[in-house]
Amino acid sequence: MTASTRQARDTRPREAAGTGYAACHHGEILQGVFRDERGRPCQALVTLPMNGPGSTAHFTRRPGTAPDDVRVTPAGRTKARTAAVLALRECAALSAAAPCGGLLTLTGDIPVGLGMGSSTSDVIATVRAVADAWGVRLPPGTIARLAVRAEGASDPLMLGPGPLLFAHREGRTLEALGPALPPAVVLGCALGGGAPVDTLALPAPAYDARDLDAYEHLRRMLRRAVADGDAALLGRVGTASARLGQRRLAHAEFPVLTRVADRCGAVGVQVAHSGNVAGVLFDPRVPALDARLRRCARALEREGVTPTRVFTTRPGTTTHPPTPSEDSSRGRAHLGSHRPAGPDTSRRRPRLPAV
């Protein structure tokens, strides 16, 4: 037995059932192509974390069943089921026990298809629940590896709220940019009428040498913004990344979003690169912030863009104004540092909380 295996074990008695939780996010601040440590082009992203909706998974082991005999409720969560099978094999190997199947139940309140990481949250919550059922602690890097195997690509939600340039198709971090994003207040909104986006129908990203240079420049800007706590520079990075992403997403409301942001004194915008969620970013030190947020929300509504929520770039801090679902409770070891989710909701497109 290796030292890493001994560290991965939990000393408490094994349980027949386990629970895991994972929060969502609000799209990306930056996504594109970057050079890895060997100088090779690599697709990567920097996620914008957010308190609020999340996924909760409950997994019950069924000794004597085949390892791939995992039954999922609700049906159709194929990525979560794949994650459960991968995780139970990993956990069984660490426990030196025979793997078995089980029952997986998923609940949550994350809007689907808006680019808020609903499937990634399901997958991470599932892996944590399986590990909890086996009495095993999986390192975040292992969870990232399993998530990418289950999904094909994953946001770094399992690695904590700090800004990471994360190779989402490889499950590895290209750069840890610092302890936290610069403080900013985000007025979230939904483009495209809040309709889900079929990411499989989107054209595959195509990058050339000029794109690589442009994204590397944005990477340097974001690194400096994090180091200096510069909200204005953060907004410039988000806007530039969203503008580059327009070649693929072609949001009709993007000109409206940037125009309203400029008129209301925002520092920039951000847009999810796999959905319709977007945000207008404000420096929290700007005078009359409350009035600016209200004016921005009204202006977006007049243009047919639905405001959804207001939150900060610092998870764990109070939203401005508070979101209706905010809660400070904490969960068990494999729930991570996020709050438990509320009652189950269906996977139809839900109405987001109004500002």
Side-chain angles (χ1 to χ4, degrees):
M1 182 185 300
T2 65
S4 60
T5 300
R6 286 194 297 270
Q7 291 175 355
R9 286 193 176 186
D10 193 337
T11 57
R12 64 187 174 88
R14 296 176 186 172
E15 298 178 349
T19 301
Y21 176 78
C24 69
H25 61 83
H26 202 263
E28 294 78 33
I29 283 289
L30 176 61
Q31 181 168 343
V33 62
F34 307 87
R35 294 183 180 88
D36 68 6
E37 67 280 359
R38 298 183 182 179
R40 298 174 300 185
C42 181
Q43 293 185 41
L45 52 80
V46 179
T47 297
L48 177 59
M50 184 188 73
N51 284 341
S55 292
T56 299
H58 301 277
F59 183 79
T60 303
R61 294 164 54 190
R62 299 176 64 221
T65 59
D68 60 352
D69 184 7
V70 174
R71 303 177 188 179
V72 185
T73 303
R77 306 287 183 86
T78 56
K79 294 177 180 178
R81 182 188 179 280
T82 300
V85 173
L86 293 171
L88 67 88
R89 291 182 183 275
E90 184 90 17
C91 294
L94 290 174
S95 303
C100 65
L103 304 176
L104 174 65
T105 302
L106 291 161
T107 60
D109 52 358
I110 304 176
V112 176
L114 292 188
M116 297 176 69
S118 59
S119 60
T120 295
S121 297
D122 278 353
V123 164
I124 296 171
T126 294
V127 173
R128 287 173 170 166
V130 171
D132 195 36
W134 283 88
V136 168
R137 292 181 181 272
L138 295 179
T142 299
I143 298 177
R145 172 172 55 82
L146 296 177
V148 169
R149 288 183 62 189
E151 280 201 274
S154 174
D155 288 277
L157 301 177
M158 72 296 291
L159 300 176
L164 303 173
L165 184 62
F166 185 74
H168 50 292
R169 298 183 183 277
E170 301 177 23
R172 63 190 181 98
T173 299
L174 299 188
E175 181 180 355
L177 296 164
L181 289 172
V185 175
V186 185
L187 171 60
C189 58
L191 307 179
V197 172
D198 181 4
T199 55
L200 297 178
L202 293 174
Y207 301 113
D208 57 25
R210 288 184 300 176
D211 293 319
L212 184 58
D213 290 340
Y215 282 113
E216 279 294 334
H217 178 64
L218 292 179
R219 176 184 187 173
R220 292 189 293 271
M221 288 174 62
L222 184 55
R223 187 187 298 141
R224 188 167 75 250
V226 170
D228 297 343
D230 190 334
L233 193 53
L234 175 72
R236 288 172 56 193
V237 171
T239 303
S241 178
R243 198 178 302 281
L244 289 169
Q246 272 292 97
R247 293 179 302 183
R248 179 169 177 254
L249 297 175
H251 288 298
E253 305 97 330
F254 184 73
V256 168
L257 190 68
T258 55
R259 184 170 65 250
V260 169
D262 288 342
R263 288 179 179 174
C264 296
V267 295
V269 302
Q270 59 88 210
V271 176
H273 288 67
S274 61
N276 276 331
V277 70
V280 181
L281 281 63
F282 289 85
D283 188 325
R285 300 166 298 181
V286 69
L289 177 60
D290 285 348
R292 292 174 188 268
L293 289 168
R294 288 193 293 268
R295 182 155 56 96
C296 184
R298 289 194 297 267
L300 290 174
E301 286 183 317
R302 286 195 297 269
E303 298 282 358
V305 177
T306 304
T308 54
R309 68 186 74 235
V310 178
F311 64 99
T312 77
T313 55
R314 299 294 178 93
T317 59
T318 302
T319 54
H320 184 91
T323 55
S325 61
E326 186 175 356
D327 187 273
S328 60
S329 58
R330 301 173 68 89
R332 297 162 60 186
H334 260 287
L335 302 186
S337 60
H338 307 293
R339 66 169 182 83
D344 185 24
T345 56
S346 68
R347 280 294 178 174
R348 67 181 181 277
R349 182 170 63 88
R351 292 177 60 88
L352 297 177
V355 174

